[in-house]
Amino acid sequence: MVNKHYPPEFRADAVALYRSRPGATYLSVADDLGVNRETLRSWVRADNERRGVRPPRPRPAAAGVADAGVPDSVERENADLRRRVRELEEERDILRKAARYFAGGDALVNRFQFVADHQQRHSVKRLCTVLKIPRSSFYYWKSTATPRAARDAADAALAVRIRAVQARHDGTYGAPRITAELHGQGITVNHKKVARVMRRYRIRGLRLRRRVQTTIPDPAAVKAPDLIRRDFTATAVNQRYVGDITYLPIGERGFLYLATVIDLHSRRLAGWAIADHMRTSLVIDALHAAARTRGSLDGAIFHSDHGAQYTSKDFAEACRAAGIRQSMSKIGSSADNALAESFNATFKRETLQGRRAFTDEHEARLTSFGWLHRYNTIRRHSHLGQQSPINYENNIQTTPATLATAA
């Protein structure tokens, strides 16, 4: 007997539910309750007999089709429609709850997390179908939760170390230099992982800004031949140098100017000078500073652009006195002095750090002095295998003829 599987209270409630819906059929009510249609019909008939009630005439089905006549196809269609409505309502409910999971981060991981959080209320199959993700992918994601948590913890610890390196270098280092710095601390890590962690935790180094040209050529000046020809290398220190002038913006309209002398072998800033003018004495002071650093510049090549300071008679005389051969790039070709241009761009990017100008002259001089000194002694250079210029010079074999004196 089917009835023995249901308690009397359930049968009585089922009969009452059927009678409370005048337009309902046995099939529709039975489908809602999860029982067989004939079972519900027998419960209603038994209740009528107990109460002495005459059986009612069969209720018409949809479109006038009798429930007792040909109801199967119609009732089946009605049941399918009701089931589809329930599915759509459930889908709407799932998507509404999932909306807040998609605010940010990895969209696929967010979907996995939503399924994990709601699998007690809805089946995993249903959730994955609605969110359009493979169940196998969800189960794989769930099975790798422990190693993923360990990796997240390792990334967080690495991010702390990366931020510490950034803080020591004024937030100027990118992934390659940070990787070299960590290697120097005895931490073995791949530069790709450093870059990934920096992206994940939004740690950024500085980027190049547009350069402003300061070269003012003198068409009447005597030119020197190009002895470098874009070959910014040297077989040893104190052989070939490049130099340039760049401006340091102060406040709204003021400027200071920096002249440099850079060794092409070690990339060391051998000499530099800062002044509030762009007269020839500025570049001569930088050249004299390089001579003091090296002890002698005799036989070296100095390459520059066609700025009026470098083509002047006074600078030519200073080069002859120091035993230097002058070399000049083509007029209007920044690529012919690209290394000096790149140095200036890096210097201004890392000292200004997005600002338009220094606050005053004192700040400009002090900040420049600190950065230029750090460039030689601490800042890692990709061309030197992520060593600083002075560390690189200390690690190479030098001779008195090549390097008379180290600063």
Side-chain angles (χ1 to χ4, degrees):
M1 295 294 293
V2 175
N3 289 6
K4 68 179 181 180
H5 297 293
Y6 301 95
E9 295 83 1
F10 179 85
R11 294 197 298 270
D13 289 341
V15 172
L17 179 63
Y18 170 77
R19 287 174 173 158
S20 68
R21 298 180 179 179
T25 63
Y26 285 119
L27 181 62
S28 64
V29 176
D31 186 64
D32 287 343
L33 295 175
V35 301
N36 184 272
R37 179 185 61 177
E38 294 304 321
T39 299
L40 177 61
R41 191 194 303 273
S42 67
W43 291 346
V44 173
R45 186 184 302 112
D47 186 69
N48 288 338
E49 292 176 355
R50 180 181 62 80
R51 296 169 56 193
V53 178
R54 187 176 180 181
R57 296 176 59 185
R59 294 181 177 179
V65 179
D67 183 47
V70 284
D72 288 349
S73 60
V74 175
E75 290 194 357
R76 198 160 33 245
E77 181 178 354
N78 289 340
D80 291 340
L81 290 174
R82 285 192 295 272
R83 183 165 53 253
R84 181 56 181 160
V85 169
R86 288 196 299 271
E87 289 176 353
L88 291 174
E89 290 176 346
E90 182 185 45
E91 182 174 337
R92 181 192 60 188
D93 182 55
I94 291 173
L95 292 175
R96 184 183 295 125
K97 292 177 181 177
R100 67 175 183 271
Y101 280 73
F102 305 148
D106 189 307
L108 184 59
V109 171
N110 290 342
R111 283 175 167 81
F112 290 156
Q113 190 61 56
F114 177 81
V115 174
D117 294 344
H118 293 81
Q119 61 181 332
Q120 298 301 321
R121 179 174 178 81
H122 305 280
S123 70
V124 170
K125 180 180 179 180
R126 180 60 174 153
L127 290 169
C128 289
T129 300
V130 172
L131 298 181
K132 295 180 172 57
I133 56 176
R135 272 186 294 167
S136 59
S137 298
F138 166 73
Y139 285 122
Y140 175 79
W141 175 84
K142 190 174 181 181
S143 67
T144 58
T146 299
R148 187 169 59 252
R151 185 167 59 251
D152 289 345
D155 285 355
L158 181 59
V160 172
R161 294 183 179 275
I162 291 173
R163 287 196 174 98
V165 173
Q166 284 283 64
R168 285 197 298 273
H169 296 277
D170 298 329
T172 60
Y173 274 14
R177 288 191 175 91
I178 289 177
T179 303
E181 190 77 11
L182 294 174
H183 287 174
Q185 298 173 14
I187 301 171
T188 303
V189 63
N190 185 279
H191 73 279
K192 293 181 180 179
K193 181 175 182 179
V194 172
R196 177 179 61 78
V197 172
M198 290 179 70
R199 287 194 301 271
R200 178 177 182 181
Y201 288 91
R202 299 182 180 180
I203 305 172
R204 298 182 178 88
L206 290 178
R207 297 180 179 273
L208 285 172
R209 301 175 64 194
R210 177 176 291 183
R211 176 186 166 275
V212 177
Q213 186 174 354
T214 58
T215 301
I216 304 175
D218 181 0
V222 178
K223 307 302 188 294
D226 185 353
L227 304 178
I228 298 296
R229 297 185 180 277
R230 300 189 183 182
D231 178 14
F232 300 108
T233 62
T235 57
V237 298
N238 203 28
Q239 289 184 345
R240 309 170 87 190
Y241 294 88
V242 295
D244 196 12
I245 301 174
T246 191
Y247 74 99
L248 312 179
I250 308 296
E252 291 297 325
R253 296 185 178 181
F255 293 96
L256 290 179
Y257 301 92
L258 168 68
T260 56
V261 179
I262 305 169
D263 191 305
L264 286 181
H265 182 69
S266 66
R267 300 300 197 263
R268 181 174 181 174
L269 182 63
W272 55 275
I274 295 178
D276 59 359
H277 61 79
M278 291 180 63
R279 295 190 291 272
T280 302
S281 59
L282 173 66
V283 295
I284 292 177
D285 288 344
L287 194 68
H288 288 165
R292 290 192 298 271
T293 297
R294 294 309 195 193
S296 173
L297 297 177
D298 188 29
I301 295 173
F302 178 78
H303 182 78
S304 67
D305 57 26
H306 280 80
Q309 301 83 358
Y310 294 113
T311 59
S312 67
K313 293 181 180 179
D314 289 342
F315 186 72
E317 179 58 35
C319 288
R320 281 193 295 271
I324 294 173
R325 290 186 294 164
Q326 275 190 273
S327 170
M328 291 186 184
S329 58
K330 294 183 179 67
I331 296 177
S333 177
S334 60
D336 289 347
N337 200 24
L339 191 143
E341 303 273 2
S342 176
F343 176 90
N344 290 339
T346 300
F347 164 75
K348 293 173 71 173
R349 180 181 76 246
E350 296 189 2
T351 52
L352 287 171
Q353 297 198 17
R355 295 183 296 167
R356 297 182 62 88
F358 294 104
T359 304
D360 51 38
E361 182 176 328
H362 176 73
E363 183 202 6
R365 288 183 180 273
L366 192 61
T367 301
S368 299
F369 173 80
W371 188 91
L372 296 170
H373 177 73
R374 189 168 65 248
Y375 169 86
N376 275 337
T377 59
I378 297 177
R379 189 181 185 279
R380 297 177 183 274
H381 202 298
S382 58
H383 180 76
L384 307 176
Q386 299 298 356
Q387 300 181 73
S388 67
I390 288 182
N391 284 342
Y392 177 78
E393 288 188 0
N394 291 337
N395 290 332
I396 62 175
Q397 296 296 325
T398 60
T399 64
T402 304
L403 180 58
T405 307

